[in-house]
């Protein structure tokens, strides 16, 4: 690995006006980020594999939203009901991956917080239900199962994965 001098804060553009963090600080930050987040593709891959994925997926949206579409096999528990119902519906020994509508919604983070405050190990699924559908994964509605073609802006169309 080639080590270079740290960039200076003299750039004339906003990207490097504030220099990047040190490699050690960046490793700590991004390592912590992965402890808190999972992406849609990784969740879908784990659920599609044979055997127990080692976690449960929790949809924290309203019943109307759940009926409109949800991840197959997910547990439906709206955030407001977590204090009263989480202990009866979830095993505290099994990590929970929360999701809500999408990147513009913080419902999954609020659900993850409510669960963590009750002793559950949690991660938030980045992208939420929106990216589950946009990446072309099957979902269920009150009328049955559905699947849309992958959006080429969010998922590779002709490849098994994005390579990241």
């Amino acid at each position: 690995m080639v080590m270079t001098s740290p960039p200076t804060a003299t750039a004339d553009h906003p990207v490097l006006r504030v220099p990047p963090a040190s490699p050690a600080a960046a490793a700590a930050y991004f390592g912590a980020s992965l402890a808190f987040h999972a992406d849609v593709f990784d969740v879908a891959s784990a659920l599609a594999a044979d055997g127990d994925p080692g976690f449960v997926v929790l949809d924290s949206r309203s019943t109307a939203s759940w009926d409109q579409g949800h991840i197959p096999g997910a547990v439906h528990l709206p955030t407001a009901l977590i204090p009263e119902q989480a202990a009866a519906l979830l095993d505290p020994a099994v990590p929970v991956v929360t999701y809500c509508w999408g990147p513009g919604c913080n419902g999954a983070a609020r659900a993850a917080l409510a669960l963590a405050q009750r002793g559950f190990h949690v991660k938030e699924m980045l992208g939420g239900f929106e990216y589950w559908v946009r990446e072309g994964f099957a979902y269920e509605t009150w009328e049955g199962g559905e699947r849309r073609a992958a959006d080429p802006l969010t998922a590779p169309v002709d490849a098994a994965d994005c390579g990241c």
Side-chain angles (χ1 to χ4, degrees):
M1 176 192 316
V2 175
M3 298 300 289
T4 60
S5 300
T8 62
T10 59
D12 291 333
H13 54 77
V15 173
L16 294 177
R17 194 166 296 139
V18 175
S22 71
Y29 173 84
F30 291 113
S33 175
L34 293 172
F36 296 111
H37 301 110
D39 71 22
V40 167
F41 183 84
D42 290 344
V43 171
S45 295
L47 294 175
D50 289 333
D52 181 357
F55 60 88
V56 64
V57 177
L58 184 137
D59 185 317
S60 64
R61 302 172 302 148
S62 69
T63 299
S65 299
W66 168 268
D67 288 346
Q68 189 173 323
H70 58 271
I71 294 173
V75 171
H76 181 227
L77 182 58
T79 301
L81 300 178
I82 288 173
E84 297 85 30
Q85 296 181 10
L89 292 175
L90 302 169
D91 179 348
V94 177
V96 178
V97 176
T98 63
Y99 75 90
C100 200
W101 272 112
C105 175
N106 67 2
R110 284 181 289 151
L113 172 60
L115 290 164
Q117 289 172 330
R118 284 155 185 82
F120 291 90
H121 291 88
V122 293
K123 286 191 173 202
E124 175 187 7
M125 185 178 77
L126 297 175
F129 184 68
E130 175 189 348
Y131 275 70
W132 184 273
V133 173
R134 289 181 75 184
E135 291 190 24
F137 298 113
Y139 60 98
E140 297 174 343
T141 72
W142 68 273
E143 296 176 308
E146 293 192 31
R147 183 180 214 133
R148 296 182 184 173
D151 179 339
L153 295 176
T154 64
V157 176
D158 296 323
D161 65 52
C162 66
C164 58

